[in-house]
Amino acid sequence: MSSEHMQIGEVAVRTELSLRTIRHYEETGLVIPSARSQGGFRLYTEADVTRLMVIRRMKPLGFTLDEMRDLLRATDRLDSGDALPDDERAEALDRVRDFERRAAERVADLRTQLVRAEEFAGTLRERLTPVPSS
């Protein structure tokens, strides 16, 4: 195994994803190991880890597997190094822009939820603070 390849266990540690989750993403076609060892073990590259990190970051924002696939397809086209016709490049960029906008909206929603959760926790703390008797 070359030093540029990692086994699934190392990838799991680096991405903080479980082996099962990484295998699930492979089964759904989101990430395909770059190689296999002679023994049949999945081997991943730095690019595969980067791809898994994109997926990991999309998950808490509520993006579906199909949406993840859509974004990855657009970024793959932009990153391919091939000269894309202007209309295809514009379409891929529009897809990425749309995902950026939707991600920003979801982050704002999560911030609002966090503020409400902190207020709720504060309310509970206040209930547990003894009131001095007069």
Side-chain angles (χ1 to χ4, degrees):
M1 177 171 58
S2 75
S3 62
E4 63 191 41
H5 285 102
M6 296 165 267
Q7 289 189 357
I8 194 169
E10 182 180 348
V11 172
V13 169
R14 292 201 39 207
T15 61
E16 298 178 350
L17 294 169
S18 69
L19 299 177
R20 182 178 178 179
T21 297
I22 295 170
R23 288 185 190 113
H24 174 69
Y25 291 153
E26 178 185 354
E27 290 167 9
T28 60
L30 287 174
V31 125
I32 306 298
S34 292
R36 293 269 180 171
S37 70
Q38 289 183 344
F41 294 104
R42 294 165 175 86
L43 298 176
Y44 297 88
T45 62
E46 202 60 46
D48 299 323
V49 170
T50 299
R51 190 175 184 91
L52 283 164
M53 292 302 292
V54 168
I55 296 165
R56 192 188 90 183
R57 291 174 179 131
M58 290 180 80
K59 188 70 176 157
L61 296 177
F63 288 103
T64 67
L65 293 177
D66 285 337
E67 289 170 320
M68 292 174 191
R69 194 174 292 107
D70 186 28
L71 175 63
L72 291 168
R73 193 172 18 251
T75 57
D76 287 348
R77 287 173 66 203
L78 292 169
D79 295 343
S80 70
D82 298 336
L84 289 176
D86 289 343
D87 60 331
E88 288 183 34
R89 180 173 174 69
E91 180 184 329
L93 286 170
D94 283 346
R95 293 300 303 143
V96 173
R97 260 187 225 97
D98 179 56
F99 275 99
E100 188 280 330
R101 179 190 53 76
R102 291 165 52 200
E105 288 172 358
R106 292 176 185 189
V107 166
D109 291 345
L110 287 171
R111 284 192 175 114
T112 299
Q113 289 179 24
L114 180 59
V115 166
R116 290 178 183 155
E118 289 171 337
E119 288 170 351
F120 175 67
T123 300
L124 293 176
R125 270 191 305 278
E126 289 171 7
R127 288 180 91 38
L128 295 173
T129 304
V131 177
S133 55
S134 13

PDB file of all heavy atoms in Angstrom, residues 13-49:
ATOM      1  N   VAL A  13     -11.246   7.816  11.307  1.00  0.00           N
ATOM      2  CA  VAL A  13     -10.680   8.662  12.364  1.00  0.00           C
ATOM      3  C   VAL A  13     -10.554  10.103  11.871  1.00  0.00           C
ATOM      4  O   VAL A  13     -10.947  11.048  12.565  1.00  0.00           O
ATOM      5  CB  VAL A  13      -9.302   8.122  12.823  1.00  0.00           C
ATOM      6  CG1 VAL A  13      -8.577   9.126  13.712  1.00  0.00           C
ATOM      7  CG2 VAL A  13      -9.476   6.794  13.550  1.00  0.00           C
ATOM      8  N   ARG A  14     -10.041  10.279  10.680  1.00  0.00           N
ATOM      9  CA  ARG A  14      -9.824  11.637  10.155  1.00  0.00           C
ATOM     10  C   ARG A  14     -11.129  12.383   9.904  1.00  0.00           C
ATOM     11  O   ARG A  14     -11.180  13.594  10.070  1.00  0.00           O
ATOM     12  CB  ARG A  14      -9.005  11.573   8.865  1.00  0.00           C
ATOM     13  CG  ARG A  14      -7.582  11.120   9.169  1.00  0.00           C
ATOM     14  CD  ARG A  14      -6.572  11.452   8.152  1.00  0.00           C
ATOM     15  NE  ARG A  14      -6.707  12.747   7.534  1.00  0.00           N
ATOM     16  CZ  ARG A  14      -6.271  12.998   6.308  1.00  0.00           C
ATOM     17  NH1 ARG A  14      -5.708  12.054   5.596  1.00  0.00           N
ATOM     18  NH2 ARG A  14      -6.392  14.202   5.794  1.00  0.00           N
ATOM     19  N   THR A  15     -12.161  11.683   9.478  1.00  0.00           N
ATOM     20  CA  THR A  15     -13.430  12.342   9.146  1.00  0.00           C
ATOM     21  C   THR A  15     -14.427  12.329  10.292  1.00  0.00           C
ATOM     22  O   THR A  15     -15.460  12.985  10.212  1.00  0.00           O
ATOM     23  CB  THR A  15     -14.094  11.674   7.929  1.00  0.00           C
ATOM     24  OG1 THR A  15     -14.372  10.302   8.239  1.00  0.00           O
ATOM     25  CG2 THR A  15     -13.224  11.784   6.684  1.00  0.00           C
ATOM     26  N   GLU A  16     -14.127  11.574  11.341  1.00  0.00           N
ATOM     27  CA  GLU A  16     -15.037  11.383  12.470  1.00  0.00           C
ATOM     28  C   GLU A  16     -16.363  10.776  12.011  1.00  0.00           C
ATOM     29  O   GLU A  16     -17.431  11.094  12.540  1.00  0.00           O
ATOM     30  CB  GLU A  16     -15.255  12.692  13.232  1.00  0.00           C
ATOM     31  CG  GLU A  16     -13.974  13.236  13.839  1.00  0.00           C
ATOM     32  CD  GLU A  16     -14.157  14.559  14.550  1.00  0.00           C
ATOM     33  OE1 GLU A  16     -15.240  15.184  14.430  1.00  0.00           O
ATOM     34  OE2 GLU A  16     -13.212  14.979  15.247  1.00  0.00           O
ATOM     35  N   LEU A  17     -16.283   9.906  11.006  1.00  0.00           N
ATOM     36  CA  LEU A  17     -17.437   9.138  10.535  1.00  0.00           C
ATOM     37  C   LEU A  17     -17.204   7.684  10.899  1.00  0.00           C
ATOM     38  O   LEU A  17     -16.063   7.215  10.938  1.00  0.00           O
ATOM     39  CB  LEU A  17     -17.590   9.267   9.012  1.00  0.00           C
ATOM     40  CG  LEU A  17     -17.933  10.654   8.473  1.00  0.00           C
ATOM     41  CD1 LEU A  17     -17.771  10.673   6.950  1.00  0.00           C
ATOM     42  CD2 LEU A  17     -19.352  11.044   8.863  1.00  0.00           C
ATOM     43  N   SER A  18     -18.286   6.961  11.131  1.00  0.00           N
ATOM     44  CA  SER A  18     -18.135   5.542  11.441  1.00  0.00           C
ATOM     45  C   SER A  18     -17.823   4.757  10.177  1.00  0.00           C
ATOM     46  O   SER A  18     -18.099   5.208   9.051  1.00  0.00           O
ATOM     47  CB  SER A  18     -19.420   5.001  12.075  1.00  0.00           C
ATOM     48  OG  SER A  18     -20.457   4.964  11.106  1.00  0.00           O
ATOM     49  N   LEU A  19     -17.251   3.569  10.361  1.00  0.00           N
ATOM     50  CA  LEU A  19     -16.980   2.687   9.220  1.00  0.00           C
ATOM     51  C   LEU A  19     -18.282   2.385   8.481  1.00  0.00           C
ATOM     52  O   LEU A  19     -18.326   2.382   7.248  1.00  0.00           O
ATOM     53  CB  LEU A  19     -16.345   1.375   9.695  1.00  0.00           C
ATOM     54  CG  LEU A  19     -15.007   1.479  10.429  1.00  0.00           C
ATOM     55  CD1 LEU A  19     -14.555   0.095  10.885  1.00  0.00           C
ATOM     56  CD2 LEU A  19     -13.958   2.137   9.572  1.00  0.00           C
ATOM     57  N   ARG A  20     -19.319   2.160   9.257  1.00  0.00           N
ATOM     58  CA  ARG A  20     -20.626   1.852   8.672  1.00  0.00           C
ATOM     59  C   ARG A  20     -21.133   3.006   7.796  1.00  0.00           C
ATOM     60  O   ARG A  20     -21.662   2.794   6.712  1.00  0.00           O
ATOM     61  CB  ARG A  20     -21.615   1.550   9.797  1.00  0.00           C
ATOM     62  CG  ARG A  20     -22.972   1.169   9.329  1.00  0.00           C
ATOM     63  CD  ARG A  20     -23.872   0.841  10.490  1.00  0.00           C
ATOM     64  NE  ARG A  20     -25.201   0.519  10.006  1.00  0.00           N
ATOM     65  CZ  ARG A  20     -26.188   0.177  10.762  1.00  0.00           C
ATOM     66  NH1 ARG A  20     -26.013   0.094  12.067  1.00  0.00           N
ATOM     67  NH2 ARG A  20     -27.358  -0.100  10.256  1.00  0.00           N
ATOM     68  N   THR A  21     -20.970   4.228   8.284  1.00  0.00           N
ATOM     69  CA  THR A  21     -21.413   5.405   7.525  1.00  0.00           C
ATOM     70  C   THR A  21     -20.617   5.543   6.240  1.00  0.00           C
ATOM     71  O   THR A  21     -21.183   5.800   5.172  1.00  0.00           O
ATOM     72  CB  THR A  21     -21.281   6.678   8.379  1.00  0.00           C
ATOM     73  OG1 THR A  21     -22.156   6.552   9.508  1.00  0.00           O
ATOM     74  CG2 THR A  21     -21.643   7.913   7.596  1.00  0.00           C
ATOM     75  N   ILE A  22     -19.305   5.363   6.308  1.00  0.00           N
ATOM     76  CA  ILE A  22     -18.467   5.450   5.107  1.00  0.00           C
ATOM     77  C   ILE A  22     -18.885   4.378   4.102  1.00  0.00           C
ATOM     78  O   ILE A  22     -19.029   4.659   2.900  1.00  0.00           O
ATOM     79  CB  ILE A  22     -16.972   5.341   5.465  1.00  0.00           C
ATOM     80  CG1 ILE A  22     -16.552   6.549   6.316  1.00  0.00           C
ATOM     81  CG2 ILE A  22     -16.118   5.228   4.200  1.00  0.00           C
ATOM     82  CD1 ILE A  22     -15.168   6.437   6.927  1.00  0.00           C
ATOM     83  N   ARG A  23     -19.129   3.175   4.580  1.00  0.00           N
ATOM     84  CA  ARG A  23     -19.584   2.098   3.682  1.00  0.00           C
ATOM     85  C   ARG A  23     -20.948   2.428   3.076  1.00  0.00           C
ATOM     86  O   ARG A  23     -21.193   2.147   1.907  1.00  0.00           O
ATOM     87  CB  ARG A  23     -19.637   0.777   4.431  1.00  0.00           C
ATOM     88  CG  ARG A  23     -18.268   0.221   4.745  1.00  0.00           C
ATOM     89  CD  ARG A  23     -18.352  -1.167   5.379  1.00  0.00           C
ATOM     90  NE  ARG A  23     -17.058  -1.566   5.875  1.00  0.00           N
ATOM     91  CZ  ARG A  23     -16.752  -1.730   7.153  1.00  0.00           C
ATOM     92  NH1 ARG A  23     -17.670  -1.549   8.090  1.00  0.00           N
ATOM     93  NH2 ARG A  23     -15.547  -2.096   7.511  1.00  0.00           N
ATOM     94  N   HIS A  24     -21.821   3.045   3.875  1.00  0.00           N
ATOM     95  CA  HIS A  24     -23.141   3.442   3.367  1.00  0.00           C
ATOM     96  C   HIS A  24     -22.991   4.478   2.250  1.00  0.00           C
ATOM     97  O   HIS A  24     -23.665   4.391   1.217  1.00  0.00           O
ATOM     98  CB  HIS A  24     -23.999   3.999   4.502  1.00  0.00           C
ATOM     99  CG  HIS A  24     -25.305   4.558   4.049  1.00  0.00           C
ATOM    100  ND1 HIS A  24     -26.323   3.766   3.565  1.00  0.00           N
ATOM    101  CD2 HIS A  24     -25.744   5.829   3.982  1.00  0.00           C
ATOM    102  CE1 HIS A  24     -27.344   4.548   3.218  1.00  0.00           C
ATOM    103  NE2 HIS A  24     -27.020   5.798   3.464  1.00  0.00           N
ATOM    104  N   TYR A  25     -22.113   5.439   2.451  1.00  0.00           N
ATOM    105  CA  TYR A  25     -21.878   6.447   1.416  1.00  0.00           C
ATOM    106  C   TYR A  25     -21.309   5.802   0.155  1.00  0.00           C
ATOM    107  O   TYR A  25     -21.592   6.253  -0.955  1.00  0.00           O
ATOM    108  CB  TYR A  25     -20.968   7.566   1.918  1.00  0.00           C
ATOM    109  CG  TYR A  25     -21.617   8.444   2.973  1.00  0.00           C
ATOM    110  CD1 TYR A  25     -20.854   9.108   3.915  1.00  0.00           C
ATOM    111  CD2 TYR A  25     -22.999   8.623   3.018  1.00  0.00           C
ATOM    112  CE1 TYR A  25     -21.439   9.927   4.876  1.00  0.00           C
ATOM    113  CE2 TYR A  25     -23.594   9.435   3.980  1.00  0.00           C
ATOM    114  CZ  TYR A  25     -22.812  10.081   4.897  1.00  0.00           C
ATOM    115  OH  TYR A  25     -23.397  10.881   5.844  1.00  0.00           O
ATOM    116  N   GLU A  26     -20.529   4.745   0.320  1.00  0.00           N
ATOM    117  CA  GLU A  26     -20.038   4.014  -0.851  1.00  0.00           C
ATOM    118  C   GLU A  26     -21.199   3.303  -1.553  1.00  0.00           C
ATOM    119  O   GLU A  26     -21.338   3.389  -2.776  1.00  0.00           O
ATOM    120  CB  GLU A  26     -18.976   2.990  -0.445  1.00  0.00           C
ATOM    121  CG  GLU A  26     -18.472   2.177  -1.628  1.00  0.00           C
ATOM    122  CD  GLU A  26     -17.506   1.072  -1.257  1.00  0.00           C
ATOM    123  OE1 GLU A  26     -17.106   0.972  -0.078  1.00  0.00           O
ATOM    124  OE2 GLU A  26     -17.168   0.295  -2.152  1.00  0.00           O
ATOM    125  N   GLU A  27     -22.038   2.640  -0.778  1.00  0.00           N
ATOM    126  CA  GLU A  27     -23.182   1.912  -1.351  1.00  0.00           C
ATOM    127  C   GLU A  27     -24.117   2.840  -2.113  1.00  0.00           C
ATOM    128  O   GLU A  27     -24.715   2.443  -3.107  1.00  0.00           O
ATOM    129  CB  GLU A  27     -23.963   1.191  -0.249  1.00  0.00           C
ATOM    130  CG  GLU A  27     -23.226   0.022   0.357  1.00  0.00           C
ATOM    131  CD  GLU A  27     -23.869  -0.472   1.656  1.00  0.00           C
ATOM    132  OE1 GLU A  27     -24.982  -0.023   1.997  1.00  0.00           O
ATOM    133  OE2 GLU A  27     -23.221  -1.300   2.323  1.00  0.00           O
ATOM    134  N   THR A  28     -24.252   4.077  -1.648  1.00  0.00           N
ATOM    135  CA  THR A  28     -25.155   5.030  -2.307  1.00  0.00           C
ATOM    136  C   THR A  28     -24.461   5.791  -3.430  1.00  0.00           C
ATOM    137  O   THR A  28     -25.088   6.638  -4.073  1.00  0.00           O
ATOM    138  CB  THR A  28     -25.742   6.030  -1.287  1.00  0.00           C
ATOM    139  OG1 THR A  28     -24.683   6.744  -0.669  1.00  0.00           O
ATOM    140  CG2 THR A  28     -26.581   5.323  -0.246  1.00  0.00           C
ATOM    141  N   GLY A  29     -23.172   5.523  -3.643  1.00  0.00           N
ATOM    142  CA  GLY A  29     -22.443   6.141  -4.740  1.00  0.00           C
ATOM    143  C   GLY A  29     -21.916   7.538  -4.477  1.00  0.00           C
ATOM    144  O   GLY A  29     -21.462   8.210  -5.395  1.00  0.00           O
ATOM    145  N   LEU A  30     -21.959   7.982  -3.214  1.00  0.00           N
ATOM    146  CA  LEU A  30     -21.453   9.321  -2.906  1.00  0.00           C
ATOM    147  C   LEU A  30     -19.932   9.372  -2.902  1.00  0.00           C
ATOM    148  O   LEU A  30     -19.335  10.373  -3.296  1.00  0.00           O
ATOM    149  CB  LEU A  30     -21.979   9.796  -1.547  1.00  0.00           C
ATOM    150  CG  LEU A  30     -23.445  10.183  -1.506  1.00  0.00           C
ATOM    151  CD1 LEU A  30     -23.874  10.479  -0.077  1.00  0.00           C
ATOM    152  CD2 LEU A  30     -23.708  11.382  -2.395  1.00  0.00           C
ATOM    153  N   VAL A  31     -19.317   8.303  -2.434  1.00  0.00           N
ATOM    154  CA  VAL A  31     -17.860   8.238  -2.376  1.00  0.00           C
ATOM    155  C   VAL A  31     -17.456   6.816  -2.739  1.00  0.00           C
ATOM    156  O   VAL A  31     -18.024   5.863  -2.205  1.00  0.00           O
ATOM    157  CB  VAL A  31     -17.376   8.606  -0.968  1.00  0.00           C
ATOM    158  CG1 VAL A  31     -16.503   7.590  -0.332  1.00  0.00           C
ATOM    159  CG2 VAL A  31     -16.676   9.919  -0.954  1.00  0.00           C
ATOM    160  N   ILE A  32     -16.546   6.699  -3.655  1.00  0.00           N
ATOM    161  CA  ILE A  32     -16.059   5.389  -4.068  1.00  0.00           C
ATOM    162  C   ILE A  32     -14.574   5.339  -3.730  1.00  0.00           C
ATOM    163  O   ILE A  32     -13.835   6.263  -4.091  1.00  0.00           O
ATOM    164  CB  ILE A  32     -16.250   5.178  -5.592  1.00  0.00           C
ATOM    165  CG1 ILE A  32     -17.698   5.406  -5.996  1.00  0.00           C
ATOM    166  CG2 ILE A  32     -15.761   3.806  -6.025  1.00  0.00           C
ATOM    167  CD1 ILE A  32     -18.701   4.474  -5.377  1.00  0.00           C
ATOM    168  N   PRO A  33     -14.139   4.277  -3.019  1.00  0.00           N
ATOM    169  CA  PRO A  33     -12.705   4.192  -2.719  1.00  0.00           C
ATOM    170  C   PRO A  33     -11.892   4.289  -4.005  1.00  0.00           C
ATOM    171  O   PRO A  33     -12.277   3.745  -5.040  1.00  0.00           O
ATOM    172  CB  PRO A  33     -12.553   2.817  -2.073  1.00  0.00           C
ATOM    173  CG  PRO A  33     -13.923   2.433  -1.627  1.00  0.00           C
ATOM    174  CD  PRO A  33     -14.880   3.118  -2.553  1.00  0.00           C
ATOM    175  N   SER A  34     -10.767   4.969  -3.937  1.00  0.00           N
ATOM    176  CA  SER A  34      -9.932   5.166  -5.120  1.00  0.00           C
ATOM    177  C   SER A  34      -9.255   3.891  -5.577  1.00  0.00           C
ATOM    178  O   SER A  34      -8.880   3.766  -6.734  1.00  0.00           O
ATOM    179  CB  SER A  34      -8.872   6.235  -4.835  1.00  0.00           C
ATOM    180  OG  SER A  34      -9.512   7.483  -4.684  1.00  0.00           O
ATOM    181  N   ALA A  35      -9.095   2.950  -4.650  1.00  0.00           N
ATOM    182  CA  ALA A  35      -8.394   1.713  -4.992  1.00  0.00           C
ATOM    183  C   ALA A  35      -8.786   0.628  -3.997  1.00  0.00           C
ATOM    184  O   ALA A  35      -9.494   0.887  -3.022  1.00  0.00           O
ATOM    185  CB  ALA A  35      -6.881   1.944  -4.974  1.00  0.00           C
ATOM    186  N   ARG A  36      -8.307  -0.556  -4.281  1.00  0.00           N
ATOM    187  CA  ARG A  36      -8.440  -1.692  -3.369  1.00  0.00           C
ATOM    188  C   ARG A  36      -7.057  -2.304  -3.194  1.00  0.00           C
ATOM    189  O   ARG A  36      -6.265  -2.358  -4.134  1.00  0.00           O
ATOM    190  CB  ARG A  36      -9.385  -2.762  -3.940  1.00  0.00           C
ATOM    191  CG  ARG A  36     -10.832  -2.334  -4.041  1.00  0.00           C
ATOM    192  CD  ARG A  36     -11.575  -2.690  -2.807  1.00  0.00           C
ATOM    193  NE  ARG A  36     -12.980  -2.280  -2.912  1.00  0.00           N
ATOM    194  CZ  ARG A  36     -13.882  -2.620  -2.040  1.00  0.00           C
ATOM    195  NH1 ARG A  36     -13.560  -3.353  -0.995  1.00  0.00           N
ATOM    196  NH2 ARG A  36     -15.116  -2.208  -2.167  1.00  0.00           N
ATOM    197  N   SER A  37      -6.801  -2.784  -1.996  1.00  0.00           N
ATOM    198  CA  SER A  37      -5.528  -3.456  -1.753  1.00  0.00           C
ATOM    199  C   SER A  37      -5.589  -4.848  -2.375  1.00  0.00           C
ATOM    200  O   SER A  37      -6.653  -5.305  -2.809  1.00  0.00           O
ATOM    201  CB  SER A  37      -5.267  -3.560  -0.248  1.00  0.00           C
ATOM    202  OG  SER A  37      -6.180  -4.483   0.330  1.00  0.00           O
ATOM    203  N   GLN A  38      -4.455  -5.537  -2.404  1.00  0.00           N
ATOM    204  CA  GLN A  38      -4.444  -6.897  -2.929  1.00  0.00           C
ATOM    205  C   GLN A  38      -5.378  -7.797  -2.127  1.00  0.00           C
ATOM    206  O   GLN A  38      -5.941  -8.728  -2.668  1.00  0.00           O
ATOM    207  CB  GLN A  38      -3.023  -7.463  -2.924  1.00  0.00           C
ATOM    208  CG  GLN A  38      -2.141  -6.822  -3.969  1.00  0.00           C
ATOM    209  CD  GLN A  38      -0.756  -7.429  -4.001  1.00  0.00           C
ATOM    210  OE1 GLN A  38      -0.340  -8.120  -3.071  1.00  0.00           O
ATOM    211  NE2 GLN A  38      -0.023  -7.164  -5.075  1.00  0.00           N
ATOM    212  N   GLY A  39      -5.560  -7.457  -0.864  1.00  0.00           N
ATOM    213  CA  GLY A  39      -6.455  -8.227  -0.016  1.00  0.00           C
ATOM    214  C   GLY A  39      -7.918  -7.791  -0.129  1.00  0.00           C
ATOM    215  O   GLY A  39      -8.783  -8.316   0.557  1.00  0.00           O
ATOM    216  N   GLY A  40      -8.196  -6.802  -0.962  1.00  0.00           N
ATOM    217  CA  GLY A  40      -9.564  -6.354  -1.169  1.00  0.00           C
ATOM    218  C   GLY A  40     -10.015  -5.227  -0.250  1.00  0.00           C
ATOM    219  O   GLY A  40     -11.185  -4.852  -0.269  1.00  0.00           O
ATOM    220  N   PHE A  41      -9.087  -4.693   0.561  1.00  0.00           N
ATOM    221  CA  PHE A  41      -9.454  -3.604   1.468  1.00  0.00           C
ATOM    222  C   PHE A  41      -9.642  -2.301   0.692  1.00  0.00           C
ATOM    223  O   PHE A  41      -8.904  -2.021  -0.252  1.00  0.00           O
ATOM    224  CB  PHE A  41      -8.389  -3.403   2.553  1.00  0.00           C
ATOM    225  CG  PHE A  41      -8.272  -4.555   3.503  1.00  0.00           C
ATOM    226  CD1 PHE A  41      -7.208  -5.438   3.406  1.00  0.00           C
ATOM    227  CD2 PHE A  41      -9.229  -4.752   4.485  1.00  0.00           C
ATOM    228  CE1 PHE A  41      -7.101  -6.507   4.273  1.00  0.00           C
ATOM    229  CE2 PHE A  41      -9.125  -5.826   5.367  1.00  0.00           C
ATOM    230  CZ  PHE A  41      -8.058  -6.702   5.251  1.00  0.00           C
ATOM    231  N   ARG A  42     -10.614  -1.521   1.123  1.00  0.00           N
ATOM    232  CA  ARG A  42     -10.852  -0.212   0.514  1.00  0.00           C
ATOM    233  C   ARG A  42      -9.669   0.701   0.801  1.00  0.00           C
ATOM    234  O   ARG A  42      -9.203   0.768   1.937  1.00  0.00           O
ATOM    235  CB  ARG A  42     -12.118   0.431   1.122  1.00  0.00           C
ATOM    236  CG  ARG A  42     -13.392  -0.267   0.826  1.00  0.00           C
ATOM    237  CD  ARG A  42     -14.492   0.250   1.777  1.00  0.00           C
ATOM    238  NE  ARG A  42     -15.784  -0.286   1.481  1.00  0.00           N
ATOM    239  CZ  ARG A  42     -16.247  -1.459   1.948  1.00  0.00           C
ATOM    240  NH1 ARG A  42     -15.495  -2.199   2.737  1.00  0.00           N
ATOM    241  NH2 ARG A  42     -17.457  -1.871   1.620  1.00  0.00           N
ATOM    242  N   LEU A  43      -9.239   1.437  -0.222  1.00  0.00           N
ATOM    243  CA  LEU A  43      -8.149   2.387  -0.071  1.00  0.00           C
ATOM    244  C   LEU A  43      -8.621   3.752  -0.541  1.00  0.00           C
ATOM    245  O   LEU A  43      -9.243   3.879  -1.599  1.00  0.00           O
ATOM    246  CB  LEU A  43      -6.931   1.947  -0.889  1.00  0.00           C
ATOM    247  CG  LEU A  43      -6.309   0.608  -0.498  1.00  0.00           C
ATOM    248  CD1 LEU A  43      -5.169   0.247  -1.438  1.00  0.00           C
ATOM    249  CD2 LEU A  43      -5.832   0.624   0.950  1.00  0.00           C
ATOM    250  N   TYR A  44      -8.328   4.756   0.258  1.00  0.00           N
ATOM    251  CA  TYR A  44      -8.815   6.105   0.004  1.00  0.00           C
ATOM    252  C   TYR A  44      -7.643   7.058  -0.150  1.00  0.00           C
ATOM    253  O   TYR A  44      -6.579   6.851   0.431  1.00  0.00           O
ATOM    254  CB  TYR A  44      -9.698   6.572   1.165  1.00  0.00           C
ATOM    255  CG  TYR A  44     -10.939   5.736   1.337  1.00  0.00           C
ATOM    256  CD1 TYR A  44     -10.940   4.590   2.118  1.00  0.00           C
ATOM    257  CD2 TYR A  44     -12.131   6.091   0.702  1.00  0.00           C
ATOM    258  CE1 TYR A  44     -12.085   3.821   2.265  1.00  0.00           C
ATOM    259  CE2 TYR A  44     -13.273   5.326   0.846  1.00  0.00           C
ATOM    260  CZ  TYR A  44     -13.244   4.193   1.624  1.00  0.00           C
ATOM    261  OH  TYR A  44     -14.372   3.436   1.772  1.00  0.00           O
ATOM    262  N   THR A  45      -7.889   8.129  -0.871  1.00  0.00           N
ATOM    263  CA  THR A  45      -6.889   9.182  -1.051  1.00  0.00           C
ATOM    264  C   THR A  45      -7.334  10.425  -0.282  1.00  0.00           C
ATOM    265  O   THR A  45      -8.440  10.479   0.253  1.00  0.00           O
ATOM    266  CB  THR A  45      -6.739   9.555  -2.537  1.00  0.00           C
ATOM    267  OG1 THR A  45      -7.994  10.073  -2.999  1.00  0.00           O
ATOM    268  CG2 THR A  45      -6.296   8.368  -3.378  1.00  0.00           C
ATOM    269  N   GLU A  46      -6.486  11.422  -0.298  1.00  0.00           N
ATOM    270  CA  GLU A  46      -6.811  12.699   0.335  1.00  0.00           C
ATOM    271  C   GLU A  46      -8.060  13.306  -0.311  1.00  0.00           C
ATOM    272  O   GLU A  46      -8.893  13.911   0.368  1.00  0.00           O
ATOM    273  CB  GLU A  46      -5.611  13.645   0.209  1.00  0.00           C
ATOM    274  CG  GLU A  46      -5.597  14.750   1.215  1.00  0.00           C
ATOM    275  CD  GLU A  46      -5.550  14.279   2.656  1.00  0.00           C
ATOM    276  OE1 GLU A  46      -4.767  13.385   3.006  1.00  0.00           O
ATOM    277  OE2 GLU A  46      -6.343  14.839   3.462  1.00  0.00           O
ATOM    278  N   ALA A  47      -8.199  13.141  -1.626  1.00  0.00           N
ATOM    279  CA  ALA A  47      -9.386  13.653  -2.329  1.00  0.00           C
ATOM    280  C   ALA A  47     -10.656  12.964  -1.831  1.00  0.00           C
ATOM    281  O   ALA A  47     -11.713  13.596  -1.703  1.00  0.00           O
ATOM    282  CB  ALA A  47      -9.241  13.468  -3.836  1.00  0.00           C
ATOM    283  N   ASP A  48     -10.565  11.676  -1.527  1.00  0.00           N
ATOM    284  CA  ASP A  48     -11.722  10.947  -0.992  1.00  0.00           C
ATOM    285  C   ASP A  48     -12.092  11.480   0.390  1.00  0.00           C
ATOM    286  O   ASP A  48     -13.278  11.621   0.720  1.00  0.00           O
ATOM    287  CB  ASP A  48     -11.436   9.444  -0.904  1.00  0.00           C
ATOM    288  CG  ASP A  48     -11.138   8.811  -2.255  1.00  0.00           C
ATOM    289  OD1 ASP A  48     -11.767   9.219  -3.260  1.00  0.00           O
ATOM    290  OD2 ASP A  48     -10.285   7.909  -2.293  1.00  0.00           O
ATOM    291  N   VAL A  49     -11.082  11.764   1.202  1.00  0.00           N
ATOM    292  CA  VAL A  49     -11.327  12.329   2.538  1.00  0.00           C
ATOM    293  C   VAL A  49     -11.999  13.692   2.407  1.00  0.00           C
ATOM    294  O   VAL A  49     -12.969  13.986   3.122  1.00  0.00           O
ATOM    295  CB  VAL A  49     -10.008  12.434   3.348  1.00  0.00           C
ATOM    296  CG1 VAL A  49     -10.203  13.228   4.627  1.00  0.00           C
ATOM    297  CG2 VAL A  49      -9.463  11.035   3.655  1.00  0.00           C
TER     298      VAL A  49
END
